[in-house]
Amino acid sequence: MDSGQWHVEKRSTLRNESFLKEYGPVSETGSLSIVVLGASGDLAKKKTFPALFNLYHQGFLNPDEVHIFGYARSKISDQELRDKIHGYLVDEKNASEKAEALSKFLQLIKYVSGPYDSEDGFKRLEKAISEHEISKKTSEGSSRRLFYLALPPSVYPPVCKMIKAWCTNTSDLGGWTRVVVEKPFGKDLESAEQLSSQIGALFDEPQIYRIDHYLGKELVQNMLVLRFANRFFLPLWNRDNIANVQIVFREDFGTEGRGGYFDEYGIIRDIIQNHLLQVLCLVAMEKPVSLKPEHIRDEKVKVLQSVMPIKDEEVVLGQYEGYRDDPTVPNDSNTPTFATTILRIDNERWEGVPFILKAGKAMSSKKADIRIQFKDVPGDIFKCQKQGRNEFVIRLQPSEAMYMKLTVKQPGLEMQTVQSELDLSYKQRYQDVPIPEAYERLILDTIKGDQQHFVRRDELKAAWEIFTPLLHRIGNGEVKSIPYKPGSRGPTEADQLLEKAGYLQTHGYIWIPPTL
């Protein structure tokens, strides 16, 4: 028996003895302990805790079962943590109607201070969790423990080691221990595999939830329904009809004080290798056998394994002017803040169709969308091809919508054509239906044990295999970043690359979100 196993079994015996002595019979429903590691950091207060509160307010977290623990190095009290996150949990406009729920939610939060690589802090954390479980009359092995690592990847291995040794469940009577890890999961194939091996040696794959919040977005989750529940898309979704696919992410601001951190990763690691590549999988994958998580993830892996090596001539990198003015950024930095790259999928459905992934900071607008551009209509009897091609656009953010760009007759006595759209805008169509934040959905999936919207280990490996050679060439200075002005579309070379790939831009047409 190793020392970690001895600790677990010894702790189990002591817990059962104290439980039976003080509380008698156990409850049939196991308690739920949610532990946010890195509780005093930005990610926790801006995303994790607000998502937990919204789940609680909507009734998805039972106050009779759940307790929330914050863990970090900061030496603060329970109340100081509550005060720290309070302002992020509700908007001013609905603060009064949520005041009672907010007060009760904050009382569910307990804070434990300690280092990430020392057993003392995790012993205190285990003690706090056990006290909660005992108070809920939870039998040993039926408790549920969720550990959310809102931490840098560098501390994942020691933290997971401490969780495994001191804070996991000891048996399986309907209970579980699950670990959620945030991106970036490694910096290249080698570091990602090393991290996967370290965590994989401690936890089984069904216990590990690699979160990519883009997979929790409403319109991304709609992709499989759109593709496989609508007959008219089935015969169109292939190389015979689709000219190109664009997946675009733009931000209208720069690194804003995060330059030093961002410079270690760049836009490809930060956005393209994970968020946009996950969207590509859903656009390009074949129909899964069922909606079981493993069947869906199997098809995503097949897509990634079919992606051909990226050619340097199909990549444009950019860096906005002023990026290096940040004192934390090296003066000779080649780190891209903008990238356009073309991926090509070598299979029967997509041969010859360029998938254009484009992301940038300090751009002219803020948006994320998927743009499916169809081929020209053969025999242009209306002489309208210059007005633009048919496009199916899925607007991920902001103003969630999907619309089909069509050529129609312009009203009037003349036979003139114009581009218009069939439009489904969510704010207009679903006025009384709140669209949940991605983190809410993904945390709830974790509690339910649904890994459909999380990244599997072989999926992560395949994603890094695509981009690692390019990232190494960028790191070696073989591919240079081109300067571009903040507030622009990025380098003009990127537009030239799109044109070379066969994308035809529509001039004169602008989609305007409908007003309520």
Side-chain angles (χ1 to χ4, degrees):
M1 180 186 299
D2 61 32
S3 59
Q5 186 179 355
W6 181 88
H7 288 311
V8 168
E9 294 194 2
K10 179 66 174 176
R11 187 178 73 236
S12 172
T13 302
L14 293 175
R15 229 178 128 265
N16 278 333
E17 290 174 354
S18 61
F19 180 94
L20 293 171
K21 182 178 179 180
E22 187 168 357
Y23 289 96
V26 300
S27 67
E28 294 181 359
T29 304
S31 62
L32 172 61
S33 299
I34 300 175
V35 183
V36 181
L37 296 111
S40 59
D42 278 354
L43 176 62
K45 69 184 180 184
K46 292 179 180 179
K47 296 294 183 181
T48 315
F49 283 115
L52 290 172
F53 172 66
N54 287 334
L55 289 174
Y56 172 82
H57 185 251
Q58 295 171 66
F60 289 105
L61 296 181
N62 186 343
D64 294 328
E65 296 177 357
V66 71
H67 207 73
I68 299 168
F69 300 87
Y71 186 94
R73 289 178 294 208
S74 305
K75 297 185 183 303
I76 57 177
S77 66
D78 295 352
Q79 190 56 47
E80 285 174 319
L81 176 62
R82 294 165 186 161
D83 293 341
K84 189 176 180 119
I85 65 174
H86 182 282
Y88 294 92
L89 302 183
V90 292
D91 297 326
E92 290 184 6
K93 60 182 180 182
N94 57 17
S96 58
E97 64 185 71
K98 293 184 177 181
E100 183 179 354
L102 178 59
S103 176
K104 292 179 179 179
F105 173 78
L106 291 172
Q107 293 308 306
L108 296 175
I109 297 174
K110 180 177 177 60
Y111 182 75
V112 178
S113 173
Y116 294 123
D117 57 356
S118 171
E119 63 184 41
D120 292 341
F122 285 87
K123 284 181 180 178
R124 291 193 296 274
L125 178 59
E126 163 60 26
K127 183 174 183 293
I129 296 172
S130 295
E131 288 174 351
H132 160 64
E133 292 172 351
I134 290 171
S135 72
K136 299 299 181 183
K137 298 186 178 182
T138 303
S139 62
E140 179 67 22
S142 67
S143 64
R144 297 166 292 163
R145 297 183 177 188
L146 169 60
F147 295 87
Y148 194 110
L149 275 59
L151 295 165
S154 58
V155 297
Y156 288 172
V159 167
C160 288
K161 187 176 180 180
M162 291 295 110
I163 292 172
K164 178 67 174 178
W166 296 104
C167 300
T168 55
N169 284 349
T170 57
S171 61
D172 184 11
L173 296 175
W176 43 256
T177 298
R178 293 172 185 154
V179 178
V180 180
V181 292
E182 278 275 356
K183 78 166 188 74
F185 204 82
K187 296 182 70 173
D188 56 14
L189 177 60
E190 182 181 0
S191 60
E193 277 292 278
Q194 182 180 9
L195 204 52
S196 291
S197 296
Q198 290 172 320
I199 298 177
L202 298 167
F203 297 101
D204 296 331
E205 185 65 24
Q207 295 179 283
I208 304 169
Y209 288 69
R210 300 175 190 87
I211 195 169
D212 185 326
H213 76 270
Y214 253 58
L215 291 176
K217 289 186 176 294
E218 182 68 34
L219 271 295
V220 174
Q221 296 214 330
N222 209 342
M223 180 57 68
L224 294 188
V225 180
L226 283 169
R227 287 195 54 198
F228 301 123
N230 294 287
R231 176 77 188 209
F232 65 86
F233 279 131
L234 294 177
L236 299 179
W237 212 264
N238 54 51
R239 62 189 175 94
D240 296 330
N241 298 285
I242 293 176
N244 55 76
V245 178
Q246 272 197 79
I247 305 171
V248 177
F249 171 93
R250 292 180 180 171
E251 287 181 333
D252 56 2
F253 54 89
T255 54
E256 296 190 342
R258 295 176 62 248
Y261 169 82
F262 183 85
D263 200 70
E264 293 183 30
Y265 293 93
I267 198 72
I268 293 177
R269 290 185 178 95
D270 195 39
I271 301 296
I272 295 178
Q273 182 273 338
N274 36 69
H275 299 331
L276 302 195
L277 195 59
Q278 284 295 316
V279 174
L280 178 146
C281 288
L282 297 175
V283 172
M285 64 183 272
E286 296 299 319
K287 191 175 188 176
V289 175
S290 75
L291 290 178
K292 290 181 179 179
E294 294 315 306
H295 290 157
I296 293 172
R297 299 200 290 182
D298 286 344
E299 296 302 330
K300 289 167 66 182
V301 171
K302 290 177 186 177
V303 171
L304 295 173
Q305 292 174 338
S306 300
V307 174
M308 300 173 69
I310 300 172
K311 299 177 182 179
D312 287 354
E313 59 266 28
E314 294 191 322
V315 176
V316 172
L317 305 180
Q319 187 184 93
Y320 68 83
E321 296 172 0
Y323 169 72
R324 300 182 196 176
D325 294 343
D326 187 321
T328 61
V329 174
N331 292 330
D332 60 349
S333 172
N334 187 45
T335 299
T337 62
F338 171 97
T340 295
T341 181
I342 296 174
L343 300 189
R344 299 185 181 274
I345 300 173
D346 186 19
N347 65 20
E348 184 178 3
R349 181 182 294 272
W350 296 114
E351 182 182 1
V353 178
F355 282 75
I356 303 161
L357 306 188
K358 181 177 178 180
K361 288 183 171 291
M363 305 289 285
S364 57
S365 61
K366 179 182 179 180
K367 71 171 185 176
D369 62 28
I370 307 163
R371 188 172 297 269
I372 315 291
Q373 187 172 83
F374 291 88
K375 292 184 176 180
D376 292 327
V377 176
D380 182 21
I381 61 174
F382 294 103
K383 309 302 179 187
C384 60
Q385 284 188 358
K386 63 182 179 181
Q387 292 177 342
R389 291 171 166 171
N390 294 147
E391 290 183 354
F392 180 47
V393 182
I394 302 171
R395 182 75 170 254
L396 305 179
Q397 67 181 35
S399 303
E400 292 92 342
M402 59 185 77
Y403 58 95
M404 178 73 83
K405 290 169 59 176
L406 302 173
T407 299
V408 299
K409 178 186 176 297
Q410 184 167 308
L413 296 175
E414 300 289 333
M415 177 55 75
Q416 294 182 345
T417 60
V418 65
Q419 276 219 327
S420 188
E421 70 279 327
L422 299 176
D423 190 318
L424 170 60
S425 292
Y426 273 51
K427 285 185 178 179
Q428 183 186 51
R429 179 65 178 83
Y430 304 112
Q431 294 184 30
D432 300 323
V433 181
I435 297 177
E437 287 291 328
Y439 280 92
E440 295 173 38
R441 194 190 310 270
L442 295 175
I443 290 174
L444 186 60
D445 282 348
T446 306
I447 295 170
K448 291 179 177 179
D450 185 351
Q451 290 187 304
Q452 174 181 334
H453 303 115
F454 295 83
V455 181
R456 201 167 65 189
R457 180 174 176 174
D458 58 340
E459 190 179 345
L460 179 73
K461 180 182 179 183
W464 277 119
E465 285 175 339
I466 294 169
F467 281 99
T468 292
L470 173 62
L471 290 167
H472 286 176
R473 293 197 296 274
I474 295 171
N476 295 332
E478 298 172 33
V479 186
K480 298 291 187 181
S481 294
I482 302 167
Y484 65 94
K485 293 187 179 299
S488 68
R489 287 175 49 86
T492 56
E493 289 84 346
D495 289 334
Q496 294 166 6
L497 177 62
L498 264 62
E499 186 176 348
K500 183 179 177 183
Y503 172 70
L504 295 183
Q505 186 175 355
T506 301
H507 296 283
Y509 170 88
I510 299 175
W511 176 72
I512 301 174
T515 56
L516 300 180

